[in-house]
Amino acid sequence: SGASSRAASPAMSESDEPLVSDMAGLAVERRPHELLRRLSRTWANAAIGGRTHWAGALAGWLMEAQHDYAAELAPIAAALWAAPSLTLATLEAQLWHGVLACAERRLAVLELLVCECANNERIRAFLDECTDQAAELKRERLECRRELKRVAEALADLDHHNEGGDGPLADAFSRDQSRREKEVEAQKQKQRRKLGESERTHMRRLDYVGRELRRLNVGRLTPLGTDRFFNKYFFIDGVAGCPSTGAGAGRILVQPASRDEQAEALDMQPHFVANSWALSMPAAWTGGLPLRGAAEAQTLAPFIDNTDSEELAPLARAGELWGYYATTSQVDKLKRWLDPRGGKREAALAAELDLLQVAISASLRKRCQQLEQFYAARAKARDQIRAQMTTQAMDNSASSEDTMQKLQKELARIDTEPLPA
């Protein structure tokens, strides 16, 4: 056995020598990326308490899931692995402004994350629990509405009896009759107060049930409504784990009608109807609609067109580019633009916007405040760095050049810092 091993050893060393040298080279080359290897092993058990931890968890999942989704994630993982240097502090900037700078890549990763979550046992259990709770709340909502209808009928009966008067009793007043009338009136007032309190209780309960049903609407998110162009409006704050105010989306999202929906709605319609659609919405949302005549295109509806960026052009051509309303003034403009008299769609959308007006306004204002604080802090940090750069520019020493380079890198990092989620 010893001879055979000695005989085999030269052949093994010849064949394994390139492999050993390659592994040694990889060990030297990948030493700066020990962070990625550690995140790929620990991302699932790490506590997520901020943006840095979210970036670390996403990077770890990308490195681990590339083996299951090679076609989708292998190029992303390779680009992340090829980064010259990575730390937890710079990981998010490397993800959003480097590896995932393209909108198509972000959407592809998001789609895979949604699929992973949908197949998770805890997520499935949560969805089933939400479905069961929503079914119970719907029954309770039906009972509350029945009780409110009964209370309204009882109040109407009391008012009807009061309008009837006492008839012949008014001709012969006596002390006993007057006392009985007062007792009857006191009894009616007591009953009216009791019915009013019952009505307020059921109204509060109905409002609570409505908020809970909205929170549990995770299986299939329903839009707030649609407008005359069949565009769908969504407000996701308060749904499932998304906070109602503060850390939510802080926007009303608008999903444009698909090309098939547009074609079906305009089928057998005169040309001026199609022209009105093409002239009333952003060009990215109506690229497939016919336009007759030399009318100048202008956006009449208060939509936000985000098609200036080249990376969003493929989404626009595919009809998958969404818009959003980010301020209360834009939402007010939307309400004025909606015409409840034109049909049931916009009437239902306007009613839903009025019902959620308080929650929508609070969420949008909170988001605007966060952005204002973010931009103010960025401007302050930039002013401080520029003041330091001005001071260093007056010094001609070698150390000042190194300090200047560090300040320029810090200034570039501040400029590329992502917006608050």
Side-chain angles (χ1 to χ4, degrees), residues 14-237:
E14 286 182 4
S15 61
D16 290 349
E17 185 175 356
L19 178 62
V20 171
S21 62
D22 289 344
M23 292 299 293
L26 287 175
V28 174
E29 181 183 359
R30 297 184 181 183
R31 189 174 297 130
H33 298 296
E34 179 64 28
L35 173 65
L36 293 177
R37 292 199 293 270
R38 178 170 58 84
L39 290 175
S40 66
R41 297 190 301 266
T42 61
W43 70 270
N45 300 323
I48 299 176
R51 293 182 66 98
T52 302
H53 297 87
W54 273 107
L58 178 60
W61 177 80
L62 288 173
M63 300 306 297
E64 180 184 359
Q66 63 174 319
H67 306 290
D68 298 328
Y69 304 101
E72 297 86 353
L73 297 183
I76 299 176
L80 188 62
W81 194 266
S85 61
L86 284 178
T87 63
L88 282 176
T90 62
L91 184 57
E92 183 177 6
Q94 182 64 35
L95 282 173
W96 300 132
H97 300 285
V99 178
L100 299 177
C102 177
E104 293 187 24
R105 277 191 172 182
R106 294 187 184 185
L107 291 176
V109 171
L110 181 60
E111 183 178 0
L112 293 178
L113 286 172
V114 171
C115 293
E116 286 286 315
C117 292
N119 294 326
N120 185 274
E121 293 183 1
R122 293 185 178 180
I123 299 296
R124 297 301 307 175
F126 174 74
L127 293 176
D128 295 339
E129 182 181 357
C130 289
T131 302
D132 296 339
Q133 293 180 6
E136 296 179 0
L137 288 174
K138 287 179 180 179
R139 289 192 292 268
E140 185 177 355
R141 182 177 62 181
L142 182 61
E143 291 297 329
C144 286
R145 289 176 175 173
R146 289 176 179 173
E147 286 296 322
L148 286 173
K149 183 177 180 181
R150 184 189 64 80
V151 170
E153 292 175 353
L155 288 172
D157 291 340
L158 285 177
D159 296 337
H160 177 71
H161 290 317
N162 287 340
E163 293 175 357
D166 293 332
L169 294 177
D171 299 334
F173 273 105
S174 66
R175 185 174 301 176
D176 293 339
Q177 289 174 339
S178 179
R179 179 174 55 81
R180 285 196 297 269
E181 289 177 2
K182 292 180 180 179
E183 291 176 355
V184 171
E185 185 63 26
Q187 187 68 21
K188 289 181 179 180
Q189 292 293 337
K190 182 178 179 180
Q191 190 174 0
R192 187 177 287 105
R193 287 193 298 269
K194 185 178 180 180
L195 290 173
E197 182 63 28
S198 177
E199 183 181 24
R200 288 188 293 271
T201 301
H202 284 92
M203 287 296 295
R204 288 193 296 267
R205 186 62 184 175
L206 190 62
D207 182 65
Y208 169 77
V209 169
R211 292 196 305 270
E212 285 297 300
L213 283 175
R214 174 174 172 77
R215 183 182 65 84
L216 297 172
N217 187 22
V218 295
R220 179 175 295 176
L221 184 63
T222 56
L224 299 176
T226 57
D227 59 16
R228 68 198 71 170
F229 301 117
F230 296 93
N231 302 314
K232 301 179 182 65
Y233 294 74
F234 294 87
F235 181 64
I236 64 174
D237 292 13

Side-chain angles (χ1 to χ4, degrees), residues 230-385:
F230 296 93
N231 302 314
K232 301 179 182 65
Y233 294 74
F234 294 87
F235 181 64
I236 64 174
D237 292 13
V239 177
C242 184
S244 57
T245 57
R251 304 174 183 89
I252 292 180
L253 307 177
V254 187
Q255 180 187 17
S258 64
R259 296 290 186 260
D260 295 337
E261 291 175 337
Q262 292 177 354
E264 182 180 358
L266 295 175
D267 187 26
M268 303 302 291
Q269 294 289 337
H271 292 303
F272 72 87
V273 176
N275 288 350
S276 67
W277 277 43
L279 295 174
S280 299
M281 291 191 298
W285 288 5
T286 58
L289 295 180
L291 181 60
R292 304 292 179 87
E296 181 181 357
Q298 57 181 344
T299 301
L300 303 180
F303 298 122
I304 300 176
D305 194 359
N306 294 326
T307 58
D308 296 337
S309 177
E310 294 182 359
E311 65 181 17
L312 298 180
L315 299 176
R317 288 192 292 268
E320 299 177 355
L321 180 63
W322 287 40
Y324 61 86
Y325 295 87
T327 63
T328 54
S329 60
Q330 293 174 352
V331 176
D332 293 338
K333 187 177 180 181
L334 169 64
K335 290 181 180 179
R336 291 192 298 269
W337 177 76
L338 294 175
D339 187 5
R341 302 168 300 176
K344 295 181 179 180
R345 291 194 303 272
E346 293 196 356
L349 176 58
E352 196 68 20
L353 290 174
D354 291 337
L355 182 63
L356 297 174
Q357 180 178 1
V358 176
I360 291 175
S361 299
S363 179
L364 267 60
R365 289 195 183 99
K366 186 65 176 179
R367 171 69 178 176
C368 291
Q369 291 175 1
Q370 290 177 346
L371 292 177
E372 290 175 359
Q373 295 173 359
F374 172 80
Y375 285 120
R378 173 186 283 185
K380 182 178 179 180
R382 292 185 55 161
D383 292 342
Q384 292 176 352
I385 292 178

